[in-house]
Amino acid sequence: MRTYLRENGLAIFFGTIFIGTLTAQSLAGQRLVSAEQREHGGSAVSWWDYVTSPDFWGAVMENWQSEFLQFTLFIGATVWLVQKGSNESKKLDDVGIETDEQQEVGRHTTPRSPRLARADGLARRLYENSLLLAMGLIFLATWLAQSLNNWRTFDEEQRAHGDAAVSWGRYLLDPDFWEKTLQNWQSEFLAVGVMVVFTIYLRQRGSPESKPVGAPHDETASSG
């Protein structure tokens, strides 16, 4: 068990704090909605009613979809774009999909290589792009879930004010949807851009997200 925990420490750590913060968000949100309900003469909502509501899942999906968009774009962009001196970039001469030898596929595989790295044709094409495909599909799924949940919340507010409900397609053109969407996107793009530039000049000893402390600023794609 100790070996398992040590070898999977990052996944366990982030999985634990993810569950903790999601639970805390649900509890805080339930209290907030209940307080708003009482202010308007309504009754408090139960925790279960809140976590199965479009209000909760709309807020959750807003954050999830922007995170997966960030990783999708970053994975794709770093195939072709480089940044001199950044730890988040690959080497300046390695722009593009690289050779089979560099990628250890086909006849360049090793005994420990994944089985699909030895495959030919479509199977290998899918596998060698599987990370980008998975992130992109999760982004699209969470973006769709966000739009549907926020649409339901928007329609509930419309009806509460005596206004007509709108279709999902019409809601996708509404400023309410794009204001909620773009405020998350811009923060993700800022964070990635800052990380790319900061790793040129700043260091964190012992972290693979940083260059070695003594590495020159123009050294690219090194890890400490």
Side-chain angles (χ1 to χ4, degrees), residues 65-90:
Q65 58 89 12
S66 63
E67 296 292 343
F68 285 105
L69 174 63
Q70 172 199 152
F71 284 115
T72 300
L73 291 179
F74 191 64
I75 292 165
T78 52
V79 175
W80 299 101
L81 303 179
V82 293
Q83 175 60 55
K84 183 176 181 179
S86 177
N87 188 58
E88 298 299 316
S89 166
K90 60 182 177 180

Side-chain angles (χ1 to χ4, degrees), residues 40-105:
H40 293 86
S43 57
V45 298
S46 68
W47 177 81
W48 180 252
D49 285 340
Y50 177 67
V51 297
T52 56
S53 71
D55 186 59
F56 174 71
W57 283 107
V60 171
M61 291 296 112
E62 281 176 28
N63 290 290
W64 288 15
Q65 58 89 12
S66 63
E67 296 292 343
F68 285 105
L69 174 63
Q70 172 199 152
F71 284 115
T72 300
L73 291 179
F74 191 64
I75 292 165
T78 52
V79 175
W80 299 101
L81 303 179
V82 293
Q83 175 60 55
K84 183 176 181 179
S86 177
N87 188 58
E88 298 299 316
S89 166
K90 60 182 177 180
K91 295 184 185 302
L92 303 182
D93 295 331
D94 291 338
V95 171
I97 59 175
E98 303 175 2
T99 66
D100 286 356
E101 183 178 4
Q102 287 174 298
Q103 289 293 312
E104 299 181 10
V105 296

Side-chain angles (χ1 to χ4, degrees), residues 19 30 44 53 57 65 81 102 119-120 131 140 150 190 217:
I19 293 171
Q30 182 254 336
S53 71
W57 283 107
Q65 58 89 12
L81 303 179
Q102 287 174 298
D120 293 317
L131 181 59
L140 291 174
N150 283 350
L190 174 64
H217 291 324

